[in-house]
């Protein structure tokens, strides 16, 4: 009886939300533009920084430097994290760690992570990677924690391709997921890179769809043939690729525009580099639901430091560029909204390269755990873990495109209360008026339809 009563209340609320009323209540633009760094989330405290755990520089664990952490993922079943080092098998072997970050309320419980183990990654030969043969960047557990997906940026300057591979929990090679031809580094006779992923700006980001069936990668900056790298005044059209995890087939590809570099350099990097440096790129991606993601955009300028921003983005309404060898520049990019800016937090974020959903917090908020790469001590960086909270009801755990037609409009609203699990936008196990409210709030905060049809 309780379930039927909730269903009746949901239908009653849906009936009250007439199309005319909805059109009057929503401010929908003709699509929406990528937001700049000056924008903030619609509601204050939508995302909050709760705590930061810093690991001292020079820390060694399991006879290798504990550093270079560029990817992190949380396994809800075990409560364990996996963290990938971007060591190119130079400071130690290419590896990942398993660790714990217990919470005490809304803060880290301990002053340091509890390390459970170190696992060396194997190349296709079954042996550890040779020095400079790999550049690990992102890692995710597969469903049930039975294996791991991880990425390498490769080294385009020397023709070494980027890749996405699956590994056993003991580090053994399982298989490689193919990348489209457009990603392969192409060099001219003089050695100039003419196509493919840019050197050190390739597959920094990796996500799994909520059901684990799709692997989603994103390039840090544009492919060489697609457009410029991010500059002080230039955006960069990165590519987000959706791949069927079982078959390896590419399913969709979209353009994600990286914002311009936040600051100009004011001093050179330390020796032995000694040059002025500034860049910006996507350092990680995390799935929110079937169509929406969180991205970490990391900007750096020598003499200034890092500027880290967290964005909410969606494939809804974006052009599918699957199979394109090069972009034309007319494609509609993924819309995005700034959710959190570390520069306003009063905390030095450092070189954030990993993000994962963490455990639920006592107030019902979802937690996010981010990790900063210490670059093995170069330029004063240290390993940091940041704990953030996401306000309940801010992000839908199921896509608002309920009928899957690539748009968000009143057809989705009409289908919501009879859609079963697809209509359970807040993820509480039932479909009711709360989901209708969340759908409405979503379209106000993050309009994805050109108009309500």
């Amino acid at each position: 009886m309780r379930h039927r009563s909730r269903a009746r209340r949901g239908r009653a609320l849906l009936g009250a939300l007439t199309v005319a009323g909805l059109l009057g209540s929503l401010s929908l633009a003709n699509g929406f533009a990528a937001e700049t760094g000056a924008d903030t989330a619609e509601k204050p405290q939508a995302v909050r920084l709760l705590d930061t755990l810093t690991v001292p520089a020079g820390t060694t664990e399991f006879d290798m430097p504990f550093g270079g952490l560029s990817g992190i993922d949380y396994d809800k079943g075990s409560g364990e994290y996996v963290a990938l080092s971007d060591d190119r098998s130079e400071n130690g072997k290419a590896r990942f760690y398993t660790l714990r970050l217990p919470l005490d309320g809304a803060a880290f419980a301990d002053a340091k992570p509890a390390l459970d183990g170190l696992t060396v990654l194997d190349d296709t030969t079954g042996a550890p990677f040779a020095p400079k043969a790999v550049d690990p960047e992102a890692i995710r557990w597969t469903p049930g924690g039975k294996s791991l997906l991880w990425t390498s940026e490769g080294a385009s300057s020397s023709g070494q391709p980027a890749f996405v591979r699956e590994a056993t929990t003991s580090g053994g090679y399982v298989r490689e997921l193919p990348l489209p031809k457009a990603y392969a580094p192409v060099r001219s006779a003089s050695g100039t890179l003419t196509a493919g992923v840019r050197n050190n700006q390739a597959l920094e980001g990796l996500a799994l769809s909520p059901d684990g069936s799709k692997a989603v990668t994103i390039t840090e900056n544009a492919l060489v043939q697609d457009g410029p790298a991010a500059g002080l005044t230039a955006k960069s059209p990165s590519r987000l690729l959706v791949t069927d995890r079982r078959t390896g087939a590419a399913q969709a590809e979209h353009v994600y525009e990286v914002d311009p570099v936040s600051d100009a350099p004011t001093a050179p990097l330390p020796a032995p580099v000694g040059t002025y440096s500034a860049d910006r790129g996507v350092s990680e991606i995390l799935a929110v639901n079937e169509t929406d993601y969180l991205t970490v955009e990391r900007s750096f300028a020598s003499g200034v430091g890092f500027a880290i921003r967290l964005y909410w983005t969606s494939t809804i309404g974006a052009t599918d560029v699957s199979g394109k060898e090069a972009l034309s520049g007319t494609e509609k990019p993924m819309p995005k909204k700034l959710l959190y800016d570390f520069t306003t937090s009063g905390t030095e974020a450092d070189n954030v390269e990993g993000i994962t959903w963490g455990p639920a917090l006592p107030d019902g908020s979802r937690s996010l755990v981010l990790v900063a790469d210490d670059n093995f001590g170069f330029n004063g960086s240290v390993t940091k873990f940041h704990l953030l909270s996401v306000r309940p009801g801010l992000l839908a755990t199921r896509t608002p495109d309920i009928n899957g037609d690539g748009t968000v409009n009143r057809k989705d609203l009409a289908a919501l209360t009879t859609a079963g699990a697809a209509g359970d936008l807040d993820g509480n196990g039932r479909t009711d008026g709360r989901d209708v409210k969340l759908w409405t709030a979503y379209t106000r905060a993050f309009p994805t339809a050109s108009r309500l049809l």
Side-chain angles (χ1 to χ4, degrees):
M1 291 297 293
R2 187 181 306 168
H3 175 75
R4 290 195 295 271
S5 174
R6 286 184 178 131
R8 282 198 296 270
R9 287 199 298 271
R11 286 193 293 270
L13 181 53
L14 178 59
L17 287 171
T18 63
V19 174
L22 192 60
L23 284 169
S25 65
L26 301 182
S27 294
L28 292 181
N30 184 17
F32 60 103
E35 301 198 8
T36 66
D39 295 314
T40 57
E42 182 182 15
K43 291 185 177 182
Q45 302 301 305
V47 177
R48 294 185 299 136
L49 175 64
L50 301 178
D51 198 12
T52 294
L53 187 160
T54 300
V55 179
T59 297
T60 298
E61 299 285 354
F62 304 109
D63 299 321
M64 293 186 197
F66 182 70
L69 301 188
S70 295
I72 190 168
D73 202 35
Y74 176 69
D75 179 39
K76 183 178 180 181
S78 66
E80 194 170 47
Y81 294 84
V82 60
L84 182 71
S85 175
D86 68 0
D87 195 331
R88 300 185 183 192
S89 279
E90 294 178 293
N91 300 286
K93 299 296 185 183
R95 62 195 176 277
F96 63 82
Y97 300 89
T98 46
L99 55 90
R100 297 178 187 273
L101 295 164
L103 301 183
D104 181 7
F108 291 118
D110 301 320
K112 62 180 182 179
L115 293 180
D116 292 339
L118 177 155
T119 303
V120 174
L121 286 162
D122 288 342
D123 203 345
T124 56
T125 61
F129 285 89
K132 297 185 179 181
V134 67
D135 185 5
E137 291 296 345
I139 194 165
R140 299 291 176 192
W141 297 105
T142 61
K146 296 179 180 179
S147 63
L148 299 146
L149 285 184
W150 63 285
T151 69
S152 170
E153 280 198 304
S156 294
S157 59
S158 61
Q160 186 185 114
F163 63 69
V164 182
R165 289 184 181 174
E166 184 174 356
T168 66
T169 55
S170 58
Y173 171 82
V174 176
R175 61 178 178 144
E176 187 166 320
L177 297 182
L179 293 172
K181 182 181 177 182
Y183 289 63
V186 178
R187 300 163 70 198
S188 67
S190 63
T192 302
L193 195 63
T194 59
V197 292
R198 282 183 156 83
N199 192 61
N200 205 34
Q201 293 184 330
L203 302 184
E204 284 270 354
L206 171 68
L208 281 182
S209 60
D211 65 0
S213 66
K214 299 177 183 64
V216 182
T217 56
I218 191 167
T219 57
E220 186 175 356
N221 265 216
L223 303 183
V224 174
Q225 68 272 27
D226 285 346
L232 287 172
T233 59
K235 296 181 179 181
S236 187
S238 294
R239 292 203 194 198
L240 177 143
L241 175 67
V242 181
T243 301
D244 184 289
R245 191 171 67 84
R246 183 180 63 83
T247 66
Q251 293 192 327
E253 196 171 14
H254 302 280
V255 177
Y256 175 91
E257 281 190 333
V258 180
D259 283 348
V261 174
S262 294
D263 301 284
T266 60
L269 287 168
V273 181
T275 59
Y276 287 76
S277 176
D279 58 35
R280 185 188 185 100
V282 181
S283 63
E284 191 55 284
I285 185 169
L286 180 66
V288 174
N289 54 49
E290 301 94 322
T291 55
D292 291 15
Y293 302 90
L294 300 181
T295 56
V296 178
E297 288 195 24
R298 173 194 56 192
S299 187
F300 172 77
S302 57
V304 179
F306 292 94
I308 306 296
R309 289 176 180 147
L310 182 62
Y311 288 87
W312 172 13
T313 187
S314 179
T315 59
I316 298 173
T319 304
D320 190 337
V321 298
S322 297
K324 283 195 173 185
E325 286 293 317
L327 300 178
S328 66
T330 61
E331 298 84 4
K332 187 175 181 181
M334 295 168 62
K336 68 181 187 182
K337 181 181 182 67
L338 180 65
L339 280 187
Y340 188 76
D341 187 344
F342 266 94
T343 59
T344 63
S345 70
T347 296
E348 176 58 52
D350 222 301
N351 184 24
V352 174
E353 293 203 10
I355 182 173
T356 181
W357 294 110
L361 297 170
D363 66 354
S365 299
R366 299 183 76 181
S367 71
L368 289 168
V369 175
L370 289 73
V371 68
D373 175 4
D374 70 348
N375 291 319
F376 297 102
F378 180 73
N379 202 31
S381 288
V382 295
T383 300
K384 292 181 180 180
F385 296 90
H386 301 292
L387 177 66
L388 278 67
S389 70
V390 179
R391 175 173 53 80
L394 176 68
L395 302 173
T397 60
R398 299 300 298 264
T399 178
D401 179 17
I402 295 165
N403 63 4
D405 66 355
T407 62
V408 176
N409 54 39
R410 70 182 184 186
K411 294 178 183 178
D412 298 298
L413 184 57
L416 190 149
T417 57
T418 59
D424 180 20
L425 301 188
D426 61 4
N428 67 356
R430 59 183 182 270
T431 303
D432 55 23
R434 291 186 179 90
D435 300 298
V436 176
K437 281 184 170 181
L438 183 55
W439 189 93
T440 306
Y442 182 103
T443 54
R444 283 199 190 107
F446 195 49
T448 52
S450 59
R451 60 178 182 235
L452 286 174
L453 298 175

